[in-house]
């Protein structure tokens, strides 16, 4: 299932310039799709190790949900929500952003953005636990879910406490 929806979109510009978005909201959602991993790639040792860590044994990566919701309040600020659900982890990102649209590639800065990462597979849980031991740091958690606060430019975000 693929769903793309936009509402209340206001933009201006010319065909020779990148348009400036003044307001708008939109949703993008894909549900239940599968990515077949080519056998040759699967047999690469590093790739095989990564797949085993995630708990993928059948040359197939199942994506249950990719969802993106954007609400652009004005040409400078907005809110964002992103979700990724797979059999090995669930990821949710919710927060605010500011944007400078005076370049061909907009400069996006995250503000008070919360990321929740819920590891499902045993391999991902072990990998995260090993990272904590090796770095002498513990992730903030709500139960089994890792919670991180992120700010700063999208190109180089700051993860608070890390």
């Amino acid at each position: 299932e693929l769903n793309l929806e936009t509402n209340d979109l206001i933009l201006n510009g010319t065909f020779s310039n990148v348009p400036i978005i003044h307001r708008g909201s939109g949703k993008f959602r894909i549900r239940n799709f599968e990515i077949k991993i080519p056998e040759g790639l699967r047999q690469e040792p590093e790739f095989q190790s990564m797949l085993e860590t995630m708990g993928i044994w059948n040359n197939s990566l199942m994506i249950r949900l990719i969802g993106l919701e954007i609400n652009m309040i004005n040409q400078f600020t907005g809110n964002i929500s992103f979700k990724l659900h797979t059999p090995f982890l669930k990821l949710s990102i919710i927060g605010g952003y500011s944007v400078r649209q005076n370049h061909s590639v907009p400069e996006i800065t995250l503000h008070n953005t919360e990321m929740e990462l819920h590891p499902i597979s045993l391999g991902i849980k072990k990998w995260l636990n090993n990272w904590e031991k090796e770095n002498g740091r513990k992730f903030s958690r709500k139960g089994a879910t890792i919670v991180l606060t992120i700010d700063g430019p999208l190109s180089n975000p700051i993860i608070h406490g890390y």
Side-chain angles (χ1 to χ4, degrees):
E1 174 187 339
L2 172 65
N3 182 11
L4 179 60
E5 176 184 319
T6 185
N7 297 313
D8 196 25
L9 181 64
I10 299 174
L11 56 92
N12 74 337
T14 63
F15 288 110
S16 61
N17 293 330
V18 176
I20 293 182
I21 301 172
H22 293 278
R23 183 174 68 216
S25 62
K27 295 179 183 179
F28 173 79
R29 186 171 295 129
I30 299 177
R31 289 184 182 274
N32 300 323
F33 74 96
E34 192 173 356
I35 299 171
K36 296 285 186 185
I37 300 164
E39 191 63 35
L41 183 59
R42 167 105 174 124
Q43 293 179 3
E44 291 290 325
E46 289 179 20
F47 197 74
Q48 184 177 13
S49 174
M50 181 182 69
L51 292 175
E52 288 172 3
T53 297
M54 291 188 289
I56 298 173
W57 306 102
N58 60 357
N59 288 354
S60 178
L61 172 61
M62 179 65 175
I63 306 292
R64 293 185 178 137
L65 171 69
I66 294 178
L68 176 65
E69 293 185 26
I70 297 176
N71 178 25
M72 193 155 191
I73 299 165
N74 56 46
Q75 73 187 54
F76 304 109
T77 61
N79 301 311
I80 189 165
S81 171
F82 175 77
K83 292 182 180 182
L84 172 68
H85 294 180
T86 69
F88 51 88
L89 68 84
K90 288 184 181 181
L91 173 70
S92 173
I93 299 173
I94 298 173
Y97 66 91
S98 60
V99 62
R100 294 184 63 200
Q101 300 185 64
N102 50 355
H103 305 296
S104 61
V105 177
E107 296 173 23
I108 299 172
T109 302
L110 300 174
H111 301 284
N112 199 29
T113 302
E114 185 174 272
M115 181 177 92
E116 293 184 351
L117 176 68
H118 183 80
I120 296 171
S121 76
L122 183 58
I124 297 287
K125 289 177 185 177
K126 284 182 179 179
W127 184 83
L128 291 167
N129 288 334
N130 286 341
W131 185 92
E132 287 177 322
K133 287 176 186 171
E134 289 172 8
N135 291 283
R137 295 180 169 197
K138 290 278 187 189
F139 291 115
S140 335
R141 286 187 162 83
K142 288 181 190 171
T145 302
I146 295 170
V147 180
L148 303 172
T149 302
I150 304 169
D151 285 299
L154 195 57
S155 59
N156 190 20
I158 297 165
I159 301 172
H160 294 269
Y162 302 93

